[in-house]
Amino acid sequence: MYKPLISNKRGMAIIIVVVFSLCLLVMFGTMAFHHRSVAGRTKLSLRDQQAYFAARAAMQHFLLKARLFPTELYDAVEFQQGKNPYFDFTEFPFRNEDGEATFQKIQSLSGVYKRILPEESDSSGRIRFFYIPLKMKGSEPEIMIRIASFYNPNYRYLAPGLAPNDPPEKYIAPDNSTNAGHSPEKFLTYFFRDCTNDAVDGQILQPALVTEKASGLETEQSWSINDEGYPYTMNYQVKNVAIRAIQGLRRYNEEAIEIECLGNVIDFQDIPGSKNLQQVRKITRTGRHIHD
């Protein structure tokens, strides 16, 4: 009568052991899958970060050149639009912060003003610059622009026919599309084409910045600083520099540009990664506003 009882206990023990083993198997399988998933995301995140900093390298390279050569950058931006870089495109408020009128109408010239605070005249007492209203506030001008001196003219645009017919675009927004065949953007392209460690037209312009992966890497940890090469291949470039219009920018004789950079990496498993980075920056001919 005891044998069936002992058999039942053994049967229950076997079932418990099987269930427990299955639970352990599921748990270890879940942990292994989670580990692989986390490792994969870590590698993906690492490549993204590497590509991001590669794009940052392009941005910093460009901004360094812009800091060293602000005039060349500003002129290239103006050439692309058809503007004369020597002309002052500043927009002047009609009244100063104290509410005083800083311009006065010239009676002998219809719609033309001179500046009286501060006064602008040459050694002979003649008016140095002339202004016209760009924007009216009721019957009073709100914003003035400098047109030219009658005896020392400053021409706004680089070629005839670029100015639209109607103000205010006539004075602030030239249309340079008719000169597209002359590639007016080439000066801007020449400015940023060497801000890269990659090949340009089949030629390495910055050989000291080339970052090539060391041979024989099995993991990231297998690379040593004493190895010939780097833990991954990295290259960067400035893809484009576009002109941006920002409201109120003309008040300070500035230009706004959007810089688009690309960073590429190839890890030890020959898996590529890439990242784009855009920033909008203000520039002047003297570089005063290169920072945000």
Side-chain angles (χ1 to χ4, degrees):
M1 63 180 295
Y2 294 105
K3 289 184 178 180
L5 182 60
I6 294 173
S7 298
N8 289 338
K9 288 183 177 180
R10 287 179 179 176
M12 289 298 296
I14 292 174
I15 293 174
I16 292 173
V17 169
V18 170
V19 172
F20 183 71
S21 299
L22 287 175
C23 290
L24 287 177
L25 182 63
V26 171
M27 183 178 68
F28 284 124
T30 302
M31 290 177 62
F33 176 79
H34 180 70
H35 177 74
R36 286 196 297 268
S37 178
V38 170
R41 287 197 300 268
T42 301
K43 290 181 180 178
L44 180 61
S45 176
L46 178 62
R47 284 196 300 272
D48 284 345
Q49 288 297 314
Q50 290 169 341
Y52 169 75
F53 281 106
R56 282 281 302 270
M59 185 69 68
Q60 294 301 317
H61 193 159
F62 178 86
L63 294 178
L64 174 62
K65 185 171 182 178
R67 178 184 289 273
L68 296 175
F69 303 101
T71 303
E72 288 79 0
L73 175 60
Y74 183 85
D75 289 359
V77 169
E78 298 298 90
F79 289 156
Q80 180 172 340
Q81 299 176 87
K83 293 180 180 179
N84 180 357
Y86 290 101
F87 194 87
D88 187 353
F89 281 85
T90 303
E91 296 175 7
F92 303 89
F94 183 75
R95 293 186 177 273
N96 60 21
E97 295 179 353
D98 297 327
E100 300 174 298
T102 57
F103 295 89
Q104 184 181 78
K105 183 178 290 188
I106 302 174
Q107 298 301 325
S108 58
L109 299 173
S110 177
V112 179
Y113 290 72
K114 65 178 180 180
R115 188 163 190 163
I116 55 176
L117 289 176
E119 185 179 351
E120 295 177 332
S121 59
D122 61 11
S123 58
S124 302
R126 295 179 298 182
I127 300 172
R128 188 178 180 188
F129 295 109
F130 297 86
Y131 299 82
I132 60 172
L134 179 63
K135 185 178 179 181
M136 300 294 292
K137 187 176 182 179
S139 59
E140 180 182 276
E142 182 179 8
I143 301 298
M144 312 292 292
I145 56 172
R146 182 181 296 172
I147 49 174
S149 163
F150 289 138
Y151 59 91
N152 184 22
N154 291 315
Y155 298 104
R156 279 186 170 268
Y157 306 126
L158 297 176
L162 299 185
N165 293 324
D166 300 322
E169 289 78 11
K170 179 178 181 179
Y171 302 103
I172 60 177
D175 181 5
N176 203 25
S177 59
T178 56
N179 293 319
H182 300 292
S183 302
E185 74 284 353
K186 60 180 175 289
F187 300 102
L188 192 53
T189 302
Y190 290 158
F191 185 90
F192 69 72
R193 71 191 298 267
D194 64 342
C195 296
T196 178
N197 67 341
D198 205 358
V200 178
D201 298 331
Q203 182 178 359
I204 300 294
L205 301 181
Q206 303 285 352
L209 301 178
V210 173
T211 304
E212 293 289 348
K213 180 181 62 176
S215 60
L217 287 180
E218 297 181 357
T219 65
E220 294 95 337
Q221 290 76 21
S222 63
W223 178 82
S224 170
I225 195 170
N226 297 318
D227 290 343
E228 188 73 24
Y230 298 87
Y232 56 89
T233 295
M234 181 272 287
N235 61 67
Y236 63 81
Q237 60 178 289
V238 179
K239 290 184 64 177
N240 188 40
V241 177
I243 314 301
R244 287 285 301 269
I246 297 180
Q247 187 175 5
L249 196 63
R250 293 270 68 80
R251 293 282 183 94
Y252 309 99
N253 199 27
E254 300 169 340
E255 287 286 356
I257 56 174
E258 183 178 48
I259 312 155
E260 182 182 3
C261 298
L262 174 65
N264 295 303
V265 297
I266 302 176
D267 68 6
F268 71 99
Q269 295 177 314
D270 291 331
I271 300 177
S274 63
K275 209 72 171 177
N276 275 73
L277 180 65
Q278 294 92 20
Q279 283 190 17
V280 175
R281 294 277 175 155
K282 296 180 289 185
I283 62 171
T284 68
R285 209 161 187 264
T286 59
R288 293 191 304 272
H289 299 279
I290 193 61
H291 291 294
D292 287 333

